[in-house]
Amino acid sequence: MEGTERENSTLPVDEYISHQRGMYESLHRKSLDNPEEFWNEHGNIVDWYSKWDRVLDDSNAPFYRWFLNGKMNVSYNALDRHVRSHRRNKAAYIWVGESGTEKIVTYHGLLKRVNAFAKALLDAGLKKGDRIAIYLPMIIEAPVAMLAAARIGVPFTLVFSGFGANSLAERIRDCGAKVIVTADGGNRAGKVIDLKKIVDEAVDQTSTVTEIIVVRNTGNPVDMVEGRDFWYDEVTKEQNAYVEPERMDSNDPLYILYTSGTTGKPKGVVHGNGGYSVWIANTLKWAFNPQEDDRWWCAADIGWVTGHSYIVFAPLILGLTSIMYEGAITYPEPDRMWDIIEKYGVNLLYTSPTAIRLLMRYGDAYPAKHDLSSLRVLGTVGEPINPAAWHWYFKTIGKSKCPIVDTYWQTETGGFIISPAIELGLGSLKPGSATFPLPGIDPVILDEQGNETPSNQKGFIAIRKPWPGMMISLNNDPERYKSVYFSKYPGKYFNGDYAMKDSDGYYWLLGRADEVMKVSGHRIGTIEIEDALVSFPEIAEAAVFSKPDEVKGEAIVAFVIPKHGVAHGRELTEKLKKGIRETMGPILIPDEIHYVHTVPKTRSGKIMRRVLKAVYTDQLPGDISTLENEASVNEIREAIETLRKEVGR
Ligand code: WT7
């Protein structure tokens, strides 16, 4: 959250941790000094059909290739190897439906389902290297589809089920998906979302899809197109099928996940098989130190990287039992999360600062109704956590006994990169700091010119060395991969966050430094919403930025310039909001829309979102002469004055 206060006190949770920090330090040092030896060892967290020739090939940097020529399969590692062990009948998932139904799926049962669905995908004519799209809510068929695709070497893109038809179509087009896996509907806060209808609209805008497989989930009526659309239960009739896992090269793509950047089109982040699996499994182990009989609950949506890495792949590779919850955390009552923890004896909980702030608002009485004593570790992810939320989580939920594991990472990093590491000796925590880099990660804080900033000074965070979980490229756009991440500081990975390292070496992540917003932890590009707004015939121009929000971290504000003669007011606002909901999805709807006549721009015509935000939040410095290299001070001043009147600030 912007402008949150920081604390420098450390907390005495050390006594609950078995090791001291020394172990972390020696492992981190070894990982950077001798990566070959380090990863030769840690690469064995997964089973390989044949081992790599070299840990890292950096001859074509920044296209780093990890575990060169190693062969493995992610679904084999997530399923088959456990089924051959004492974990055969262990629960892989305890699935909890919004309405209270529950389903326990064992490793053996999950492998059966994955094989049956892998067979269905092969029957649909898919071959290694073809792509599919998955547009499913939080149901068991989502991990089944992901693992089945991984099994046959078909990269998938899973699209968050809250995205609208245009967002889905854009992703189908970019990855060239031949098959879409969806459901008749999804349950959310007591309502049914008509997913199949959205898929039909999206498919009409694309040309690659030959088959749509539909899971019967909510039972609402859907239109099925003869010869194109098939029911999931009908194509998976062969429930004892066995599909031999493909021997995937470590650097073959596993999936593509689209995420927002500073330009219009979402970026298709491509993750590979080998390095990615090694990274997510090790990081989950280091950070949370899960035990064999633990129950792990990552309360994210499967549509984000958090769900991909830490609901699906990492916990299954480690053979853990996960809780998977279908619905809204406040439905039917604001104690749903605490109820699930008590009912299933959750030991490790992983959620977002937004969720914590939301639940905190409902007061202490809700968690007090429940026995939360099974909890041992509490994690957070997605945005900086403000100290007030941290303390509430630590005291009211963890009873001052559970360390808070604040994991900092990104879609592009594959897994955690800066986080407390319980398995390696946690040391002391500072509320709001993600503490230290995990083994393999070599961060540095730089100023605009690329010089390292002194401690306690804000700068841009960059990573000096590659690590196994990093994306392998951007889909269809290797040039953009190079220019977005490796051009600001040549040779170093940079992806747009402010950070600071304090004099004790703790890292503080201070929010996005670019035109990307974090709304309820969701990553949203200002430009995506501007593009959506100007696609309405009534709108000439739009400028989008965020303002601080007590629960969501940031809220979306849009300044819109209507075309001449367009009547604007409540009716137009409703039309814009409804249109964005349908085409883009509800998470992209602006919280506020203001009609204006002008927005300040730079000489080259770029909207000055920073100035808009400052005007709006009343933090505009009196002296705006520093902006003079961007535009003439008079023009900016005039634009600001007009704006102030128009939006009443
Ligand atoms: C951006 C990445 C990380 C997986 C889910 C989000 C912000 C993420 C933290 C944290 C402060 C954080 C950053 C980052 N962020 N975790 N613990 N503390 N900021 O992945 O959608 O790719 O978003 O989320 O700004 O760049 P994402």
Side-chain angles (χ1 to χ4, degrees):
M1 244 165 101
E2 195 142 296
T4 45
E5 73 285 21
R6 264 198 310 281
E7 283 179 17
N8 209 25
S9 55
T10 56
L11 276 119
V13 286
D14 314 48
E15 54 193 287
Y16 300 102
I17 312 302
S18 48
H19 315 285
Q20 286 309 305
R21 246 192 89 199
M23 186 175 166
Y24 159 76
E25 276 165 356
S26 66
L27 211 65
H28 187 251
R29 197 168 320 114
K30 180 175 167 185
S31 73
L32 300 186
D33 293 349
N34 196 346
E36 193 76 23
E37 190 186 320
F38 183 88
W39 290 112
N40 273 332
E41 227 169 85
H42 285 84
N44 292 320
I45 199 159
V46 297
D47 291 346
W48 297 79
Y49 296 118
S50 61
K51 285 277 169 76
W52 51 94
D53 302 333
R54 232 154 83 204
V55 160
L56 171 66
D57 173 11
D58 58 3
S59 59
N60 187 26
F63 298 94
Y64 300 101
R65 294 298 171 249
W66 284 88
F67 303 106
L68 196 71
N69 297 324
K71 302 280 185 271
M72 53 88 71
N73 183 286
V74 173
S75 100
Y76 174 86
N77 275 283
L79 301 167
D80 305 59
R81 66 168 178 167
H82 302 311
V83 170
R84 292 177 191 175
S85 78
H86 60 283
R87 297 193 182 114
R88 180 183 176 83
N89 294 317
K90 180 175 176 176
Y93 288 110
I94 300 172
W95 179 86
V96 184
E98 200 179 65
S99 68
T101 43
E102 123 194 344
K103 222 181 263 178
I104 295 179
V105 183
T106 63
Y107 275 91
H108 175 257
L110 192 59
L111 177 58
K112 285 275 175 210
R113 288 168 183 246
V114 167
N115 266 314
F117 194 58
K119 173 78 173 36
L121 293 177
L122 292 175
D123 291 345
L126 291 171
K127 290 182 299 298
K128 181 177 175 182
D130 286 340
R131 272 96 184 264
I132 66 166
I134 303 172
Y135 185 64
L136 284 174
M138 290 285 287
I139 56 178
I140 286 293
E141 286 78 3
V144 168
M146 295 159 89
L147 290 158
R151 194 167 187 88
I152 62 170
V154 164
F156 63 84
T157 189
L158 190 147
V159 180
F160 173 54
S161 62
F163 277 128
N166 290 10
S167 302
L168 176 58
E170 188 165 36
R171 287 158 175 78
I172 293 170
R173 260 196 308 270
D174 188 78
C175 79
K178 292 189 171 166
V179 169
I180 304 187
V181 189
T182 189
D184 49 1
N187 295 307
R188 193 75 194 180
K191 293 199 199 85
V192 171
I193 303 164
D194 205 343
L195 297 174
K196 173 65 165 60
K197 199 170 141 224
I198 299 171
V199 168
D200 289 342
E201 274 171 47
V203 168
D204 283 346
Q205 304 175 34
T206 61
S207 58
T208 52
V209 177
T210 54
E211 184 164 328
I212 302 175
I213 300 176
V214 187
V215 178
R216 284 185 222 266
N217 184 43
T218 46
N220 54 310
V222 297
D223 292 333
M224 298 290 276
V225 174
E226 176 85 39
R228 185 196 70 178
D229 301 353
F230 299 89
W231 290 105
Y232 181 95
D233 44 293
E234 279 161 22
V235 296
T236 54
K237 282 228 166 83
E238 221 180 296
Q239 296 198 4
N240 288 321
Y242 173 76
V243 174
E244 182 72 22
E246 280 283 342
R247 295 179 180 227
M248 302 301 289
D249 188 87
S250 172
N251 292 290
D252 281 338
L254 173 65
Y255 66 77
I256 303 161
L257 181 55
Y258 290 85
T259 189
S260 296
T262 48
T263 53
K265 230 174 79 170
K267 301 179 282 196
V269 169
V270 184
H271 280 295
N273 281 265
Y276 172 76
S277 300
V278 166
W279 185 252
I280 58 173
N282 275 298
T283 50
L284 180 55
K285 202 163 149 287
W286 290 331
F288 285 88
N289 193 23
Q291 302 299 304
E292 183 70 46
D293 291 327
D294 274 347
R295 287 180 168 187
W296 158 254
W297 184 15
C298 169
D301 192 281
I302 214 158
W304 311 113
V305 73
T306 310
H308 284 54
S309 295
Y310 298 110
I311 296 177
V312 182
F313 296 117
L316 293 176
I317 289 171
L318 294 179
L320 300 176
T321 297
S322 289
I323 306 296
M324 183 172 166
Y325 172 56
E326 178 188 32
I329 54 169
T330 50
Y331 187 86
E333 294 292 331
D335 66 341
R336 188 64 192 267
M337 200 156 190
W338 320 130
D339 184 60
I340 291 174
I341 291 167
E342 178 175 15
K343 183 162 181 202
Y344 298 100
V346 173
N347 307 101
L348 314 169
L349 173 67
Y350 187 40
T351 187
S352 66
T354 290
I356 298 163
R357 287 189 295 261
L358 176 70
L359 297 173
M360 186 170 121
R361 277 207 157 180
Y362 288 104
D364 295 358
Y366 284 106
K369 283 205 293 192
H370 296 278
D371 175 4
L372 304 178
S373 60
S374 58
L375 289 172
R376 204 175 67 245
V377 185
L378 300 174
T380 87
V381 60
E383 50 185 320
I385 180 162
N386 50 309
W390 197 104
H391 283 294
W392 187 78
Y393 201 29
F394 183 71
K395 292 188 187 130
T396 308
I397 306 308
K399 318 292 178 208
S400 303
K401 284 192 204 140
C402 307
I404 306 288
V405 173
D406 177 354
T407 62
Y408 166 69
W409 58 298
Q410 305 169 310
T411 305
E412 294 88 338
T413 69
F416 318 145
I417 55 171
I418 299 182
S419 167
I422 294 180
E423 195 197 32
L424 309 179
L426 179 73
S428 299
L429 299 170
K430 297 188 188 189
S433 164
T435 72
F436 307 105
L438 288 172
I441 299 297
D442 186 19
V444 62
I445 314 288
L446 301 172
D447 65 17
E448 194 62 56
Q449 285 71 43
N451 304 309
E452 196 166 342
T453 59
S455 50
N456 297 316
Q457 212 160 295
K458 180 171 167 179
F460 302 101
I461 186 164
I463 318 283
R464 286 182 281 213
K465 289 195 174 72
W467 66 98
M470 69 193 293
M471 74 196 126
I472 56 176
S473 191
L474 290 180
N475 190 49
N476 291 336
D477 214 345
E479 281 310 311
R480 192 172 173 203
Y481 166 79
K482 279 203 272 189
S483 65
V484 170
Y485 305 103
F486 296 92
S487 68
K488 186 173 172 81
Y489 303 119
K492 299 184 185 76
Y493 168 82
F494 169 72
N495 184 26
D497 279 318
Y498 285 126
M500 183 196 88
K501 188 169 144 177
D502 73 15
S503 32
D504 299 325
Y506 286 68
Y507 284 83
W508 299 80
L509 285 308
L510 304 174
R512 299 291 306 188
D514 55 12
E515 283 159 357
V516 169
M517 303 175 286
K518 275 283 169 163
V519 181
S520 298
H522 302 318
R523 179 165 156 184
I524 297 171
T526 47
I527 307 196
E528 278 167 71
I529 299 175
E530 289 167 4
D531 285 352
L533 286 167
V534 297
S535 71
F536 287 89
E538 294 88 348
I539 305 305
E541 248 187 293
V544 168
F545 56 95
S546 68
K547 61 165 197 176
D549 182 278
E550 259 186 47
V551 172
K552 301 200 281 190
E554 293 177 48
I556 308 172
V557 183
F559 280 10
V560 173
I561 306 180
K563 284 189 185 149
H564 275 299
V566 170
H568 52 80
R570 186 171 299 159
E571 214 170 291
L572 181 56
T573 301
E574 287 316 309
K575 181 177 175 191
L576 298 178
K577 289 190 173 179
K578 184 166 174 280
I580 291 183
R581 171 185 296 277
E582 282 162 10
T583 57
M584 311 288 290
I587 60 169
L588 285 98
I589 301 172
D591 295 86
E592 294 177 17
I593 295 179
H594 299 280
Y595 298 98
V596 298
H597 284 95
T598 179
V599 291
K601 287 193 184 161
T602 64
R603 290 203 177 87
S604 60
K606 267 187 76 184
I607 297 165
M608 299 170 90
R609 297 187 186 80
R610 206 160 43 91
V611 173
L612 290 174
K613 186 169 181 165
V615 172
Y616 195 73
T617 55
D618 225 0
Q619 286 172 348
L620 192 73
D623 175 18
I624 54 169
S625 59
T626 50
L627 301 170
E628 199 163 8
N629 57 354
E630 296 184 51
S632 101
V633 170
N634 279 341
E635 277 171 36
I636 302 172
R637 187 161 285 139
E638 247 170 61
I640 290 172
E641 279 321 308
T642 319
L643 274 180
R644 280 210 164 115
K645 278 183 218 128
E646 286 180 320
V647 300
R649 297 270 150 168

